[in-house]
Amino acid sequence: MQVSVEATKGLERRLTITVPAESIDSAVKSRLQQLAKTQRINGFRPGKVPVNVIKKRYGQSVRQEIAGEVMQRNFYEAITQEKITPAGMPSFEMKTDEDGKDLEYVAAFEVYPEVEVKDVAKIQVEKPAVDISDKDLSNMIDTLRKQHASYKEVKRKAKKDDKVTIDFIGTIDGEEFDGGKAENFALEMGKDRMIPGFEKPIVGNKTGDEVIADVTFPEDYHAEKLKGKVAQFTINIKKVEQLDLPKVDEEFAKLFGIEDGNIEALHAEVRKNMQRELDQTLKASVKEQVIAGLLEKNQIDLPKALVDQEINALREQAKQRFSQQQGGNVDNMPELPADLFEENARKRVSIGLLLGEVIKINELKVDAAKVAALIETAASAYEDPQEVIEYYRTNDELMQQMNNVAMEEQAVELLLEQAKVKEVKKSFDEIMNKQA
């Protein structure tokens, strides 16, 4: 076997491989002899069909089959010999394939780029320093109260956080339009669920009042015929209800798994959950900055094959999410265009190559203690953490995923040690609201 390597453009490579004629011809002859023993052809006894008859009938297809096997086998031998690592499957182009002649073909493929991680010390990271104050805890308790609140009817004028039951009819130029009419419609005020201006005349009015709302549909409104249209809604207020928050008492505490209803225990549990979410948010923020700095300082060529693989993976994830939203039905889902995912795919491939190089040059190994800590953190959000931990430990696929997460975090932590880190005091709300 003779091999010549040609660098064509960027990461593209072409291998021209020549296989001696006798190697191919002998393999074809052997295969035809095997066929002669098994094929049934009229006029000949089983196993007695002359090889030249078999060759006439099956010779071309057998040669194509042998050539395909040889190209695959010799390609892998060639890249091993030349110490080349393809970044995707090759495409083959046959040059010469005739009896008595050397088999010559070209394998085209991409290789991985040479990655050099540099300028890590120039990466700038802002690391927030956050304490959970008593006010933050109080605000979270209020949020939990609102989540478990009910509404009760009141005989007063409607306010921002009330819920109103209304009938309404919408018109454009004095004519009603499709979708502009409803009866006994429950509207939670202040949630911005209606088009701008709809709620404004309701505030300050009470049950039995009729009000007029003059509105303009947004230019990006989902109904094409209504985009940018000026409309008028006649609204009849049928009921006004106010939010009725539960008291922070034993019954309230029991809603959150505090079996004895102890309020101090509730506060401790809520603070613990807040701290867990805060820690995860801070870690994600720092990691995002490290990755962004790494990408900015290290621009690398990307193999199209790897980008295409990532696009397909992202497309499949989007399909699965859509399937879950639609109850498993994706029959009518159109094929999403590749350019919808390309930017994200390129970013993910770049991150993978760069972090892979960090792991390689620093000879990082998975830290079992970190894996265990990651699993415990994930499990702590569940009612029975130990059951979740055991489930992870007995599931090879989940454990491999967690090993990958741990390895990535170790690489990021190593980069963080070398980066320029500035600690900045932030409030709990600043961090969590930014995340939202």
Side-chain angles (χ1 to χ4, degrees), residues 26-197:
S26 64
V28 171
K29 183 179 179 181
S30 176
R31 189 72 56 87
L32 290 172
Q33 288 173 340
Q34 291 174 7
L35 282 174
K37 297 175 182 178
T38 59
Q39 293 303 303
R40 291 180 176 275
I41 296 179
N42 292 336
F44 299 94
R45 286 182 296 163
K48 298 297 183 180
V49 182
V51 173
N52 65 327
V53 174
I54 293 292
K55 182 177 181 180
K56 187 175 181 180
R57 178 171 292 195
Y58 300 107
Q60 187 61 37
S61 61
V62 166
R63 188 171 185 87
Q64 289 177 354
E65 184 179 294
I66 293 294
E69 294 172 1
V70 167
M71 285 193 295
Q72 289 283 351
R73 183 175 63 252
N74 284 43
F75 169 73
Y76 289 109
E77 290 177 1
I79 60 176
T80 301
Q81 173 184 307
E82 301 296 326
K83 297 180 180 178
I84 298 172
T85 305
M89 294 301 294
S91 62
F92 295 115
E93 178 188 354
M94 186 67 73
K95 290 297 186 181
T96 306
D97 181 23
E98 299 177 22
D99 287 352
K101 291 186 178 182
D102 293 345
L103 174 71
E104 184 179 72
Y105 66 99
V106 173
F109 55 93
E110 292 176 293
V111 295
Y112 285 90
E114 292 185 8
V115 180
E116 179 188 0
V117 179
K118 56 184 185 297
D119 293 336
V120 175
K122 295 180 181 179
I123 297 175
Q124 297 186 3
V125 176
E126 184 181 273
K127 190 174 183 179
V130 185
D131 292 321
I132 299 175
S133 67
D134 290 342
K135 182 180 178 182
D136 294 326
L137 177 62
S138 178
N139 289 340
M140 183 58 69
I141 294 293
D142 285 343
T143 298
L144 296 175
R145 292 175 69 200
K146 288 177 181 178
Q147 291 174 356
H148 290 80
S150 58
Y151 284 95
K152 66 177 182 181
E153 188 172 0
V154 291
K155 301 300 182 183
R156 59 162 173 75
K157 296 178 180 180
K159 297 190 296 186
K160 177 185 173 183
D161 294 323
D162 289 340
K163 181 169 76 172
V164 294
T165 302
I166 57 176
D167 295 339
F168 63 82
I169 298 175
T171 59
I172 296 176
D173 297 329
E175 299 290 332
E176 292 186 28
F177 58 89
D178 290 341
K181 181 178 181 179
E183 294 183 352
N184 295 319
F185 183 83
L187 173 63
E188 292 183 39
M189 305 283 283
K191 304 283 187 180
D192 294 327
R193 291 175 181 166
M194 305 298 282
I195 58 177

Side-chain angles (χ1 to χ4, degrees), residues 166 168-172 177 179-180 185 187-202 213-223 226-233 235:
I166 57 176
F168 63 82
I169 298 175
T171 59
I172 296 176
F177 58 89
F185 183 83
L187 173 63
E188 292 183 39
M189 305 283 283
K191 304 283 187 180
D192 294 327
R193 291 175 181 166
M194 305 298 282
I195 58 177
F198 186 92
E199 294 182 11
K200 187 175 180 180
I202 299 175
D214 293 310
V215 302
T216 301
F217 283 94
E219 293 293 343
D220 59 353
Y221 195 66
H222 62 85
L226 298 179
K227 290 181 178 180
K229 295 289 186 180
V230 175
Q232 185 176 81
F233 285 90
I235 304 169

